Amino acid sequence: MQMREAQECAQCINSSQLWSQYLTPSSTSLNISAFTPPLTNSSNMAFNGKWETESQEGYDEFCKLLGIPDDIIEKGRNYKLITEVTQDGNDFSWTQIYPKNAKVTNKFTIGKESDMETIGGKKFKATVSMEGGKLSVTFPNYHHTSEISGGKLVETSKAGSVVLIRTSKKI
């Protein structure tokens, strides 16, 4: 679920490597212990599709907390991140497309440790869980959830009391 690692609008920058220093996990192995009930019906396939950022709340504060410089925050503020999701039961392919056609694809299975990669090419392990229709994963610097609400992809990243909410529309 790299989906939030580099989600901080990395595409608006001249070089995707510049973002990697701010969005790279500080450890190489993560694991979440959570009960993940099996997906059983087609309504759980709601993540499928191509999504484009529509709005962001808390973007500046979240980026500042991660230590991203003001000029990078400014460039990324209005970037429309594209997220492509393919879901087949508990199996996901989650791709985020950044500037200059840079993209990262992470494949994971709910409840199983998966190899993931950041926009900067850093590899790490994480386990994604799903409860109540929300995908959830914890990274070293923040916790991230993704859900479909009102036909929109809503991604919430929390670091302490700072919250970034990115809402994307299906395209």
Side-chain angles (χ1 to χ4, degrees):
M1 198 142 118
Q2 192 298 335
M3 54 196 182
R4 58 180 147 213
E5 287 266 276
Q7 292 174 317
E8 303 348 295
C9 298
Q11 181 173 15
C12 300
I13 316 168
N14 294 334
S15 168
S16 63
Q17 287 97 3
L18 187 56
W19 270 96
S20 68
Q21 65 182 316
Y22 303 107
L23 302 176
T24 300
S26 59
S27 73
T28 58
S29 180
L30 304 176
N31 201 336
I32 298 174
S33 296
F35 171 72
T36 305
L39 301 176
T40 57
N41 65 46
S42 62
S43 67
N44 289 318
M45 305 302 268
F47 288 96
N48 272 328
K50 190 172 184 178
W51 306 86
E52 179 182 63
T53 301
E54 189 173 65
S55 66
Q56 298 183 114
E57 300 171 31
Y59 170 81
D60 287 358
E61 297 80 10
F62 190 80
C63 289
K64 285 179 183 182
L65 183 69
L66 292 180
I68 297 170
D70 290 342
D71 62 325
I72 304 300
I73 294 171
E74 181 67 31
K75 289 177 183 178
R77 185 174 293 120
N78 296 314
Y79 176 72
K80 302 297 184 189
L81 179 71
I82 302 294
T83 302
E84 294 180 359
V85 181
T86 303
Q87 180 183 357
D88 181 12
N90 284 336
D91 298 322
F92 284 77
S93 175
W94 197 286
T95 300
Q96 290 192 304
I97 303 170
Y98 299 93
K100 301 188 181 195
N101 292 320
K103 68 179 176 177
V104 173
T105 299
N106 284 298
K107 295 180 180 186
F108 57 91
T109 300
I110 301 299
K112 293 184 180 177
E113 185 175 72
S114 301
D115 292 320
M116 304 237 188
E117 185 176 349
T118 68
I119 183 70
K122 285 280 194 170
K123 297 182 189 291
F124 62 101
K125 293 187 181 288
T127 302
V128 180
S129 64
M130 182 182 281
E131 291 185 49
K134 286 186 183 182
L135 293 171
S136 179
V137 65
T138 299
F139 293 94
N141 297 326
Y142 58 94
H143 181 78
H144 182 83
T145 62
S146 297
E147 65 181 310
I148 304 301
S149 178
K152 310 275 181 161
L153 172 62
V154 179
E155 298 176 275
T156 304
S157 297
K158 294 181 183 181
S161 63
V162 179
V163 179
L164 166 65
I165 300 173
R166 176 177 294 116
T167 303
S168 298
K169 64 183 178 182
K170 203 164 204 175
I171 54 174

